[in-house]
Amino acid sequence: MRLLVVLGTRPEAIKLMPVVTALRADPAVHVEVCATGQHRGLLDQVLAPAGLVPDHDLDLMRPGQSLDSLLAAATEGIGRVLDAARPDRVIVQGDTASALAGALAAFHRQVPVAHVEAGLRSGDPAQPFPEEAYRRTITLLADLHFAPTQGAVDALLAERVDAASVHLTGNTGIDALFALRGSSPGSVVAAVLGNLGARRLLLVTCHRRENIGPPLDAVIEALAALAARGDVAVALPLHPNPAVASRIRARLGALGGVILLPALSYPDFAALMAAASVILTDSGGVQEEAPALGKPVLVLRETTERPEGVAAGTARLVGTDSARIVAETARLLDDPAAHAAMALAHSPYGDGRAARRIAAILAAGAPR
Ligand code: UDP
């Protein structure tokens, strides 16, 4: 059986690497990887250390690229790869333009599509934008749906997706996180951790498209106020999106107590998560990883498609209001009982065996 795995961004690479590894362990399966290059540098940062060289590299990223042109270029590029590679099935993950383009190009050729991390729903097409609409569309195009949680299974069934095509697997991101156990950080992160002294670490990531503008500015003001407390270090690895990075650099770049970092390798970022007292993020993947590490996570969004962490008490939606972010973070810093109540290690998103389950289901279709 020939499979083509399509990926384009950092989280897709992180979450699909365990799947590629599990599939490659089966001699009856031939796997090729097509990278769109949607996040050029970030993708390389994940793939290279893992020794994963894409079989097809479309290198599509252009400065200031619109969603239209990205989607069009990715669909055409993946289509050409499909015509040459002629896989029996395409595998996409999550909700990016690359994933939608992969599903669409496969659909146009009547090649079946498997969707990893299927069934996440915020219920609001504006948040996250454009991902909520992209993942709903992928559901329509896919015939195999690997849902990370029971909630995701339920969401798919509520949309009348054929129950026989939906599989509860766990999230492969937790496989990737658990695979890092025991690895040590590189020199930049080791220096950050070595210089903390008595300060506690607030780890922040912020890059969502729908937050750009006043919501991002409000988050930035909250971070400035928290840094001014003097008893914390605010570490913020920057996503290369220039609209976000330049805004953050301009306001926080010279501020004491703020450590702006380049986008970090996954092992380095995981080391910072493990050392953090509180994590503030608008990222999807970080919302899944923080509970598995027993870290309180404040979500800089109004809605989430990952309610399991909120239900379990390790994640809290705080939105993008400055005063609320400062108050919620201060509560966790100043009230040990409030911190302890959120710092329970549990993993509602997976047990580290999702990729093996997915590979077994896919390989069941392979001729023996
Ligand atoms: N991450 C990373 N380096 C960083 C920041 C995040 O490797 O400097 C990882 C993080 O652990 C998670 C993923 O990247 O696995 C999240 O990516 P992102 O926030 O870009 O996307 P989202 O999860 O929102 O789709």
Side-chain angles (χ1 to χ4, degrees), residues 9-12 14-15 39 42 45-46 95-96 131 173 177 205 207-208 237-239 262-270 273 281-289 301 306:
T9 65
R10 172 173 65 193
E12 286 166 277
I14 291 172
K15 290 176 169 178
H39 281 173
L42 297 189
Q45 209 176 30
V46 178
D95 49 23
T96 67
E131 290 87 352
L177 185 68
T205 76
H207 75 282
R208 294 241 80 87
L238 292 170
H239 196 274
L264 297 172
S265 73
Y266 185 49
D268 275 358
F269 185 74
M273 284 196 288
T281 191
D282 63 6
S283 155
V286 178
Q287 287 179 62
E288 294 154 356
E289 293 157 348
R301 292 171 47 179
R306 293 167 171 90

Side-chain angles (χ1 to χ4, degrees), residues 211-298:
N211 275 351
I212 294 171
L216 176 64
D217 290 344
V219 171
I220 291 172
E221 287 316 312
L223 299 179
L226 288 166
R229 287 172 53 113
D231 62 347
V232 294
V234 178
L236 205 170
L238 292 170
H239 196 274
N241 181 340
V244 177
S246 60
R247 200 83 189 162
I248 292 175
R249 270 201 205 93
R251 174 70 175 98
L252 300 178
L255 229 54
V258 177
I259 307 164
L260 297 186
L261 296 162
L264 297 172
S265 73
Y266 185 49
D268 275 358
F269 185 74
L272 280 188
M273 284 196 288
S277 181
V278 179
I279 299 174
L280 292 95
T281 191
D282 63 6
S283 155
V286 178
Q287 287 179 62
E288 294 154 356
E289 293 157 348
L293 296 170
K295 298 295 170 178
V297 59
L298 299 178

Side-chain angles (χ1 to χ4, degrees), residues 120-278:
L120 271 62
R121 298 289 185 264
S122 70
D124 179 357
Q127 297 188 68
F129 176 85
E131 290 87 352
E132 173 78 359
Y134 282 8
R135 60 193 171 214
R136 282 177 180 265
T137 310
I138 295 169
T139 296
L140 296 176
L141 301 171
D143 74 328
L144 257 184
H145 312 267
F146 298 123
T149 63
Q150 186 59 45
V153 170
D154 294 344
L156 291 167
L157 299 183
E159 292 170 17
R160 307 178 76 86
V161 174
D162 178 7
S165 70
V166 177
H167 300 270
L168 176 59
T169 59
N171 197 311
T172 57
I174 302 300
D175 300 23
L177 185 68
F178 287 175
L180 289 178
R181 278 177 181 149
S183 68
S184 37
S187 57
V188 173
V189 165
V192 170
L193 298 178
N195 289 330
L196 279 179
R199 293 176 303 166
R200 281 167 296 170
L201 181 66
L202 292 186
L203 177 62
V204 185
T205 76
C206 189
H207 75 282
R208 294 241 80 87
R209 189 179 285 267
E210 68 273 14
N211 275 351
I212 294 171
L216 176 64
D217 290 344
V219 171
I220 291 172
E221 287 316 312
L223 299 179
L226 288 166
R229 287 172 53 113
D231 62 347
V232 294
V234 178
L236 205 170
L238 292 170
H239 196 274
N241 181 340
V244 177
S246 60
R247 200 83 189 162
I248 292 175
R249 270 201 205 93
R251 174 70 175 98
L252 300 178
L255 229 54
V258 177
I259 307 164
L260 297 186
L261 296 162
L264 297 172
S265 73
Y266 185 49
D268 275 358
F269 185 74
L272 280 188
M273 284 196 288
S277 181
V278 179

